[in-house]
C-alpha cells in the first residue's frame, strides 16, 4: 500500500464518519459501465463545495488494490449492482491531487517531475520484482508492470485544472502540463479508467484538445451524472425531515441548479451546514469572498451590467456558451464571462432556453455584495 499507488480507503472513511453523508455510490455504476471501453475517460467539472474530492476518494476506496472496501460499501447503493464484486479493489489505482503537487512546486516542470518521482517510488515498492526497462520513466514502468502482472490501472486525478488557475497567462506551461497528461493516459492499454475532477472543462487549443479522448460532464452538460452534481430534491427533503428544517426556505436558498435529467439540484456544502447549524444563511462566502465574483462582473463588456442587474431582479438572460475556451483569462464577449460563471456555480443554466439565471438567494446575496462595491 502506497501513498499515491494503491492507497487505502481512509480518506473516504472520513466522509462516512461525518454527521451527514449522502449516498452517491451510484456514480460507481457508471464508471464500472465504461471500464476498459473507449468511454473510460471521464472528466467531471463542478464548482467548489460540490463534492468533487469526496467522489474521487470514493472511487479510490472502491478500485484500489491497497484495501478491502467490501464492508464500507455493502450498505450503499453500489452493493446492489450485479457488478459490485467484479470491480471492487481489483485495480492498480493511482490517486493524484494536483493542487497538493502544485503547492510544492515552483514551475510546471517541477510539478511533473515530482509526480513522476513519487508515483515511481510507490510503483517500485509495490512491484520490486518487475523487470523494468527504465525505472525512471513512469509510462514505460506502468507498461512493464501491466505486461508482467496483467493488472490494469485506474488513474484518478483531483483538481486536474489547478495549473490553469495558477498559471492563467502561461500558455507554454499549460501546454506542457496537457502533454504530460496526454502521454500518461492517451491510447495506453494499461489504463482501464481515467477519472479527473476540476472546476473547468478541458482547455481547448485551436480546433482540438490534447485530451480529446475524455467525455466531459460539466455544469452546462452533466449528462447521465446530473444527479451526482449536488444533492437532489429527494435527498434534501429527507434531510429536512430529519433536522426539522423548513423545506421551502432551504429550497429558495440553496436550490436552483437545473438539468435536463435532474430538475432540482442543491448546493451540497450549504445544505449540510444549514442542517448542522440549524440556520438559514449564506455559507457560500465562508469559502470564497464576493471579490472573486466582483472581478468578473466588473469587466466592461457591453450589456453585462444590465444583464447582471436583471438577473438580480429574478430574470433570465440569453447566453451562447459555445465560444468559451475553458480558461479564466480569455474573455472576448459577455457570453464568455457568463459561461465561466456557470462553471463557477455563480449562475444556473437552462439548456432548453439557452439562458442563465441566479440560482438561489445564497448566490443572489453574493451578487448584491459584489455590485455594491463595484466600479459601476
Amino acid at each position: 500500500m502506497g501513498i499515491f499507488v494503491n492507497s487505502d480507503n481512509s480518506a473516504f472513511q472520513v466522509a462516512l464518519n461525518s454527521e451527514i453523508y449522502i449516498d452517491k455510490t451510484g456514480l460507481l455504476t457508471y464508471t464500472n459501465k465504461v471500464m476498459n471501453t473507449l468511454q473510460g475517460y471521464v472528466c467531471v467539472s463542478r464548482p467548489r463545495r460540490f463534492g468533487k474530492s469526496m467522489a474521487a476518494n470514493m472511487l479510490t476506496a472502491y478500485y484500489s488494490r491497497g484495501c478491502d472496501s467490501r464492508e464500507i460499501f455493502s450498505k450503499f447503493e453500489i452493493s446492489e449492482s450485479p457488478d459490485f464484486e467484479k470491480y471492487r479493489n481489483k485495480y492498480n489505482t493511482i490517486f493524484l491531487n494536483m493542487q497538493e503537487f502544485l503547492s510544492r512546486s515552483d514551475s510546471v516542470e517541477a510539478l511533473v517531475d515530482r509526480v513522476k518521482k513519487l508515483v515511481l517510488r510507490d510503483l517500485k515498492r509495490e512491484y520490486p520484482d518487475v523487470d523494468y526497462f527504465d525505472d525512471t520513466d513512469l509510462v514505460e514502468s506502468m507498461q512493464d508492470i501491466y505486461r508482467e502482472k496483467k493488472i490494469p490501472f485506474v488513474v484518478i486525478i483531483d483538481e486536474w485544472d489547478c495549473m490553469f488557475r495558477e498559471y492563467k497567462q502561461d500558455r507554454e506551461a499549460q501546454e506542457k502540463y496537457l502533454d504530460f497528461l496526454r502521454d500518461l493516459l492517451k491510447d495506453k492499454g494499461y489504463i482501464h479508467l481515467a477519472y479527473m475532477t476540476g472546476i473547468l472543462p478541458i482547455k481547448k487549443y485551436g480546433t482540438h484538445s490534447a485530451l480529446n479522448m475524455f467525455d466531459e460532464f460539466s455544469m452546462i452538460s452533466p449528462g447521465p451524472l446530473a444527479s451526482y452534481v449536488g444533492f437532489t430534491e429527494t435527498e434534501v427533503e429527507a434531510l429536512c425531515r430529519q433536522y426539522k428544517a423548513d423545506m421551502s426556505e432551504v429550497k429558495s436558498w440553496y436550490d436552483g441548479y437545473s438539468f435536463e435529467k435532474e430538475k432540482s439540484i442543491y448546493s451540497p456544502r450549504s445544505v449540510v451546514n444549514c442542517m448542522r447549524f440549524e440556520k438559514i444563511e449564506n455559507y457560500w462566502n465562508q469559502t470564497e469572498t464576493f471579490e472573486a465574483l466582483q472581478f468578473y462582473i466588473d469587466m466592461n463588456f457591453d450589456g453585462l451590467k444590465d444583464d447582471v442587474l436583471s438577473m438580480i431582479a429574478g430574470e433570465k438572460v440569453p447566453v451562447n456558451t459555445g465560444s468559451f475556451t475553458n480558461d479564466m483569462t480569455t474573455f472576448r464577449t459577455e457570453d464568455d464571462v457568463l459561461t465561466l460563471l456557470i462553471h463557477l456555480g455563480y449562475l444556473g443554466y437552462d439548456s432548453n432556453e439557452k439562458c442563465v439565471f441566479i440560482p438561489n438567494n445564497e448566490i443572489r446575496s453574493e451578487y448584491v455584495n459584489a455590485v455594491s462595491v463595484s466600479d459601476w
Side-chain angles (χ1 to χ4, degrees), residues 186-316:
K186 189 171 184 178
D187 299 328
K188 300 297 189 295
Y190 57 74
I191 298 288
H192 280 203
L193 177 71
Y195 181 94
M196 302 199 308
T197 77
I199 295 174
L200 296 174
I202 292 173
K203 169 70 179 174
K204 302 173 185 175
Y205 283 114
T207 59
H208 70 282
S209 166
L211 301 176
N212 56 6
M213 68 284 198
F214 276 87
D215 284 340
E216 297 194 62
F217 303 101
S218 70
M219 295 297 284
I220 291 176
S221 182
L225 305 188
S227 60
Y228 307 110
V229 172
F231 290 172
T232 65
E233 185 112 312
T234 302
E235 292 163 348
V236 175
E237 285 175 344
L239 287 174
C240 285
R241 289 193 296 270
Q242 179 182 348
Y243 285 85
K244 297 179 173 55
D246 186 325
M247 179 64 186
S248 62
E249 272 198 279
V250 172
K251 185 176 183 65
S252 69
W253 270 83
Y254 310 121
D255 186 17
Y257 301 97
S258 180
F259 308 110
E260 185 176 355
K261 295 186 177 181
E262 198 67 54
K263 297 301 182 184
S264 197
I265 289 290
Y266 291 67
S267 174
R269 185 180 188 276
S270 298
V271 170
V272 167
N273 283 349
C274 172
M275 300 300 156
R276 291 177 56 236
F277 304 139
E278 300 180 354
K279 186 176 183 181
I280 296 277
E281 65 174 49
N282 185 347
Y283 296 103
W284 187 282
N285 59 21
Q286 293 180 4
T287 56
E288 185 171 271
T289 63
F290 67 82
E291 283 87 356
L293 172 62
Q294 182 191 347
F295 174 80
Y296 295 108
I297 67 174
D298 273 347
M299 290 184 174
N300 190 26
F301 287 107
D302 287 343
L304 182 59
K305 175 181 177 180
D306 291 339
D307 284 343
V308 168
L309 295 175
S310 295
M311 288 188 290
I312 291 175
E315 299 178 16
K316 292 184 176 181

Side-chain angles (χ1 to χ4, degrees), residues 127-145:
Y127 297 106
D129 59 329
V130 166
D131 180 18
Y132 294 102
F133 174 74
D134 180 358
D135 64 3
T136 65
D137 188 301
L138 177 57
V139 170
E140 288 188 353
S141 295
M142 291 172 70
Q143 288 173 333
D144 290 339
I145 292 169

